[in-house]
Amino acid sequence: MNPKDNNHEGDHRPDRIFTARRIVAMDGHEPEAFAVSAGLVTATGALGDLLARFPGAEQIDLDGALVLPGFNDAHCHTSQAALQRVRVDVSTARSVAEVLALLRARARHTPPGQWVVGQGLDEHAVAGVVDRAALDLVSTEHPILVIQYTFHRAVVNTTGLRLLGYASAGDAPAGGQLPTDPAGHPTGWLFERAWLDPWLPGRGPRSIAPAGALDAQLAALEQVHAELHSVGVTSYCDAIVTPVEEQLYRAALEQGRLPARVNMMLWHSYLPANGLPEHPDVQFLRFAGVKMMLDGALSGGTCLCSQPYPSATGLDNGLQILGDDEFGTLFRRASGTGARVAVHANGDAAIAKVIDQVAQLPPSTVDHRIEHCSLVTPELLRRCRTHRITPVPFGPFVLLFGQQILDFYGPERAQMICAHRAMLDAGLPVAGSSDYPIVPIQPLLAVQSMVTRTTRDGLAVGTSQRVEPLEAVWVYTAGSAHATAEQSFKGRLTPGRAADFIALSQDITTVDPEHIADVEVTSTWLGGECVWQHT
């Protein structure tokens, strides 16, 4: 499907009328059928009425038990999932030897002096230690970089350390760390800004993580989109985009290889003085705002909290990536261009700092976002409502990382972590988010997590935040559309909105909540066209 031929004037495809056992439009109604023309829902209601209104329309009965709007992931890193396949994918390695073999194979075909980049490392799943000394066994002629799967840290070899100018712990930039061995020498690991700044240096300097050939990037992106369609994702917001990722998405759009609606968050160091560029395509490829990062990771135990906790930093709290003055300056610069600003802030102390900045802005029609917004309080949620801030919390993290959440933050604070119930009750337009590829993008996995608040091992975490299945779906459809100011265009199956929808094999409102993630997507539709079907 070529998106340039979809949802635009001059599209004269015949009308279609869709029926199913149950259709939930996410506007409070459950129509018997809906009509689609030129990629948009044109009418909903009784089948007989629609057949009379659209004579000659093709009638399609959707296989499955439940039809919903297409899922929309408001914070993921789809381009990085594609680039991981172009770089050296070490996500399945289970030993240091495997990691080194994969890197060594790439180094043999890389000119000396050029970076060899691995991606997707889970050091806890790898037998042995991946550090500077291990990577030196791959090559001393190439700088080697291996990106840890959370993107909050990475590890380099000695050549990489030298090129970055890191010789001791004191060389770490503010908001970063350089762990050392007992002798005081850097281990090769780079935390937060120690590697983020070289990776995302802004316009001019070259990134330490080259992206590879564009043709290979496009092929990988097509693979990723096929996987997204298989779990019902029709829209997403890529939360870190630089000119590299923008070029990839633009090329996919121009070549008719972008079968999803994509929003891009431009990393703040790449923001032009005159603000965000124009949307490449208002319906398929848009700039949603500017991305910044204020603190560390929730599941990694490095977020900035108001009360001490046994964090992974070796201190009693997490990391503040940007100092208060620098953060304030950058935030005002970005918001001053009229752009929506989306700030990564997990801990309650970091969240408060973001709200403080928004509160100082002059009145505006722009709703800013807090990415993850993990550990909140009722007062913080009240302030978010007052200042029209959209929270974008993790969907599946309780199911996947519930034990780590309890270990780091304790059961009391866990009651207000990924607080979907409290956010909805506060009247906030909560958006759905996976942070893929850090975790699976599967929306039904997130729905199960939000409904049950239990891990795969049956551990209950913060059960006061449980929501109903259709409330969780609202978060991943209408809520996510609000996060990119597209609530009038998608997220509901109502007239005038995009005909993006999915059919499920079972009704998630009646199955055992512990098995919601097992429900299959039978088909995925974008603009009324089938882009994936279960076989």
Side-chain angles (χ1 to χ4, degrees), residues 161-428:
L161 282 173
R162 185 173 63 250
L163 288 176
L164 294 173
Y166 295 150
S168 68
D171 293 327
Q177 282 186 329
L178 295 172
T180 57
D181 61 24
H185 303 302
T187 63
W189 279 94
L190 320 174
F191 281 61
E192 303 297 357
R193 286 189 71 177
W195 98 274
L196 286 173
D197 288 354
W199 174 40
L200 305 167
R203 298 180 183 272
R206 180 175 295 182
S207 171
I208 61 174
L214 182 58
D215 286 347
Q217 295 178 49
L218 287 165
L221 186 63
E222 284 189 319
Q223 295 173 5
V224 171
H225 279 142
E227 294 167 12
L228 266 56
H229 290 152
S230 72
V231 295
V233 175
T234 56
S235 293
Y236 60 85
C237 181
D238 193 319
I240 295 182
V241 167
T242 76
V244 168
E245 293 80 15
E246 180 186 348
Q247 179 190 32
L248 169 59
Y249 284 127
R250 284 183 180 272
L253 177 74
E254 291 166 0
Q255 296 181 27
R257 299 165 73 177
L258 191 63
R261 303 189 195 275
V262 180
N263 278 274
M264 299 179 288
M265 283 288 181
L266 186 67
W267 186 253
H268 65 89
S269 62
Y270 296 89
L271 179 65
N274 58 347
L276 290 168
E278 292 186 3
H279 301 313
D281 185 292
V282 71
Q283 294 185 9
F284 278 90
L285 187 60
R286 306 170 69 254
F287 282 99
V290 178
K291 173 70 180 299
M292 301 177 64
M293 185 178 294
L294 187 54
D295 72 345
L298 173 66
S299 61
T302 57
C303 63
L304 189 68
C305 295
S306 60
Q307 299 297 319
Y309 70 98
S311 78
T313 62
L315 306 172
D316 62 357
N317 209 332
L319 290 175
Q320 182 169 343
I321 308 304
L322 296 169
D324 289 344
D325 290 343
E326 184 181 11
F327 172 56
T329 298
L330 292 172
F331 186 92
R332 289 189 295 273
R333 173 178 174 263
S335 61
T337 68
R340 173 182 296 101
V341 184
V343 184
H344 166 122
N346 273 300
D348 58 338
I351 293 166
K353 291 175 183 291
V354 179
I355 299 173
D356 288 344
Q357 289 296 326
V358 177
Q360 297 175 42
L361 297 177
S364 169
T365 59
V366 176
D367 291 359
H368 298 290
R369 300 174 26 159
I370 297 181
E371 309 304 294
H372 313 320
C373 204
S374 295
L375 175 54
V376 296
T377 65
E379 174 61 14
L380 289 175
L381 296 183
R382 185 196 65 78
R383 295 186 67 200
C384 284
R385 175 68 184 271
T386 297
H387 299 293
R388 300 198 353 258
I389 295 171
T390 302
V392 188
F394 297 115
F397 268 43
V398 167
L399 186 150
L400 297 173
F401 303 115
Q403 185 63 64
Q404 292 96 311
I405 287 171
L406 288 175
D407 290 345
F408 281 125
Y409 311 103
E412 183 177 351
R413 275 189 283 204
Q415 290 291 338
M416 292 298 285
I417 287 178
C418 301
H420 291 90
R421 173 80 276 146
M423 291 176 179
L424 289 170
D425 289 348
L428 290 166

Side-chain angles (χ1 to χ4, degrees), residues 406-480:
L406 288 175
D407 290 345
F408 281 125
Y409 311 103
E412 183 177 351
R413 275 189 283 204
Q415 290 291 338
M416 292 298 285
I417 287 178
C418 301
H420 291 90
R421 173 80 276 146
M423 291 176 179
L424 289 170
D425 289 348
L428 290 166
V430 191
S433 153
S434 66
D435 216 15
Y436 170 80
I438 294 171
V439 302
I441 201 168
Q442 183 183 358
L444 289 177
L445 187 76
V447 170
Q448 178 175 318
S449 181
M450 295 160 66
V451 169
T452 66
R453 296 284 297 197
T454 58
T455 68
R456 283 173 168 155
D457 296 330
L459 177 67
V461 181
T463 56
S464 65
Q465 295 303 324
R466 286 172 174 163
V467 300
E468 295 299 319
L470 290 184
E471 289 179 311
V473 171
W474 186 94
V475 167
Y476 263 81
T477 54
S480 290

